Amino acid sequence: AYRLDPEDADTAEGLSELYLSQGQFEKAKSPSQDATRLNPQSSRAWSTLSASCLATGQLADARQAAESATKYGPEDPRAWVQLAASLNAAHDFADAVAASETATQLAPTESRAWLNLATAYAGLDRYAEALPHAERATQLEPKNRASWSLLAALYRELDQPDNASAASAQLQSLDASAAGR
């Protein structure tokens, strides 16, 4: 569909999301760039561009695209999740807290919003504040490796070895399930 109608913004956005979901981050960039050109006020397009830039290590571009996403979609939780992720990656943890809090308010069942909030607090060495957010992220998405890994690290930092072992065991279980596929 994208080849047949390269000027359709919705198709470009959809293709970019498909590539992102398959882990083909470099391939996701071109259609997301096209989508932002075709529909420059689309929060979805800017969010997919941010995700592809972040996944390919282009932190400044990821942040800029995420800022555009929040500008055009101030009520779009995906935009705030992307902004928080790009801020965390750039070690701008204070701003990541603010963006993550907005994301959790807009989408309280979005695990990535809670994971970003936990990551931001952990980046500020505020482990006790990070912990409930990491726990929430694992409750919402129990198969997310990143959430369990952060949770185990937080438990270790807070000197809770039994909880750290349990979180690490959950992570190992996920790894074993993935290896068995």
Side-chain angles (χ1 to χ4, degrees), residues 115-141:
L115 177 58
N116 282 331
L117 186 53
T119 301
Y121 277 125
L124 294 169
D125 297 332
R126 293 164 54 183
Y127 307 120
E129 289 173 84
L131 183 62
H133 306 304
E135 290 172 334
R136 174 85 177 166
T138 61
Q139 291 165 359
L140 291 170
E141 192 178 349

Side-chain angles (χ1 to χ4, degrees), residues 103-121:
T104 61
Q105 290 166 5
L106 292 171
T109 60
E110 173 55 63
S111 67
R112 293 176 306 149
W114 295 101
L115 177 58
N116 282 331
L117 186 53
T119 301
Y121 277 125

Side-chain angles (χ1 to χ4, degrees), residues 13-54:
E13 289 172 358
L15 181 59
S16 182
E17 287 177 336
L18 180 63
Y19 282 139
L20 288 171
S21 72
Q22 294 177 340
Q24 297 183 37
F25 307 118
E26 194 63 46
K27 281 186 170 182
K29 271 197 293 191
S30 180
S32 61
Q33 288 169 332
D34 287 345
T36 61
R37 176 183 54 79
L38 295 166
N39 188 2
Q41 295 183 349
S42 170
S43 174
R44 178 183 174 204
W46 287 107
S47 292
T48 59
L49 179 58
S50 176
S52 64
C53 288
L54 184 59

Side-chain angles (χ1 to χ4, degrees), residues 8 40 62 68 88 118 171:
D8 181 60
S68 293
N88 276 331
L171 184 58

Side-chain angles (χ1 to χ4, degrees), residues 127-163:
Y127 307 120
E129 289 173 84
L131 183 62
H133 306 304
E135 290 172 334
R136 174 85 177 166
T138 61
Q139 291 165 359
L140 291 170
E141 192 178 349
K143 293 184 179 183
N144 185 321
R145 291 188 80 266
S147 296
W148 285 106
S149 181
L150 178 59
L151 188 58
L154 290 171
Y155 283 137
R156 283 191 293 277
E157 286 293 331
L158 294 169
D159 197 26
Q160 296 181 26
D162 291 343
N163 288 336

